[in-house]
Amino acid sequence: NYQISYTGTGSPKQVTVTGGAFTLTGLGAGTYSAFSITNNGCVGSANTSVTLNNPPTPTLVFSTSANPSTCSGTNGSISFTTTNLPNATYTINYTGAGSPKQVTVTNNAFTLTGLAAGSYSAFSITNNACTGSLNTSVSLSDPATPTLVFSTSANPSTCSGTNGSISFTTNLPNGTYQLNYTGAGNPKQVTVTSGTFSLTGLAAGAYSAFSISNNGCTGSSSPTVTLAEPPTPTLMFSTSV
């Protein structure tokens, strides 16, 4: 064993010469130079300068995001591109629900999945003790909550009839939905066309607490709509002969 001195962190160190060679180990990143070693009072030196570098730091770049498909859903996602991360599974830390999570890098890209609506930021990932970070903030949102706005109503056309109706405007896409409410016949299917629909087949009575759901999101409307039967004919005795 010999002692080697040099310019750089950790000098001097012990080295073991075997077969005319030795390795200076236990070095961090930095520059090392002015190597010298002594044997029997004779000093050998090498003025070579050697620079050691840390592994490349991972990079994270935001790519795209996808909102949850349902209210209170957890299938939202955020996608990234990356460098200096070989294909493998890593732990990503971030500020937001569910941190940390496992992600799989494939061809310099990965997707953070299983996310609910909310704000996500301060992403970081580590490989070989080198940490890459991204301070971007990404917000995921639930689908739009349905709106229900009372428009018009029509009374039944006959006594004890069931052709009354109540009409609404809404932000729902065209389609068929179930409308819940307080009143006779609840619930009923309604068809939305161009932002409007009518609740039909109604008898005289009071109807209220309307609600409709889409993608797990429920919209409601609280007015009370009262439908009335036509006026009942009156008969009054006049004279007799």
Side-chain angles (χ1 to χ4, degrees):
N1 288 342
Y2 299 88
Q3 179 173 283
I4 186 170
S5 297
Y6 54 91
T7 299
T9 304
S11 177
K13 281 182 177 284
Q14 296 295 308
V15 295
T16 299
V17 175
T18 303
F22 68 90
T23 300
L24 178 59
T25 60
L27 303 178
T31 299
Y32 300 85
S33 61
F35 303 94
S36 65
I37 199 165
T38 300
N39 184 39
N40 296 323
C42 302
V43 178
S45 62
N47 290 323
T48 300
S49 179
V50 180
T51 299
L52 303 181
N53 297 310
N54 283 322
T57 299
T59 63
L60 298 177
V61 178
F62 168 72
S63 177
T64 61
S65 64
N67 293 319
S69 60
T70 62
C71 279
S72 301
T74 57
N75 65 337
S77 63
I78 304 172
S79 296
F80 300 83
T81 57
T82 183
T83 61
N84 304 325
L85 283 177
N87 292 353
T89 298
Y90 302 89
T91 296
I92 186 168
N93 292 277
Y94 56 91
T95 299
S99 177
K101 281 182 177 283
Q102 298 293 303
V103 294
T104 299
V105 173
T106 304
N107 297 329
N108 297 318
F110 69 90
T111 300
L112 176 60
T113 60
L115 302 179
S119 182
Y120 300 86
S121 61
F123 305 94
S124 66
I125 200 164
T126 300
N127 185 40
N128 294 325
C130 300
T131 300
S133 61
L134 178 67
N135 290 324
T136 297
S137 181
V138 180
S139 293
L140 302 183
S141 302
D142 281 330
T145 299
T147 60
L148 292 178
V149 179
F150 169 71
S151 177
T152 60
S153 64
N155 293 318
S157 60
T158 62
C159 284
S160 301
T162 57
N163 66 338
S165 64
I166 304 172
S167 296
F168 298 83
T169 59
T170 182
N171 64 347
L172 287 167
N174 291 354
T176 299
Y177 303 87
Q178 179 173 287
L179 182 72
N180 293 279
Y181 57 91
T182 299
N186 172 67
K188 281 182 177 284
Q189 298 293 304
V190 295
T191 299
V192 174
T193 304
S194 301
T196 64
F197 70 88
S198 292
L199 175 62
T200 60
L202 302 179
Y207 299 86
S208 61
F210 304 95
S211 67
I212 201 166
S213 296
N214 186 39
N215 293 325
C217 307
T218 300
S220 60
S221 181
S222 57
T224 296
V225 180
T226 300
L227 302 183
E229 291 183 338
T232 300
T234 59
L235 296 177
M236 298 182 63
F237 172 75
S238 175
T239 61
S240 63
V241 177

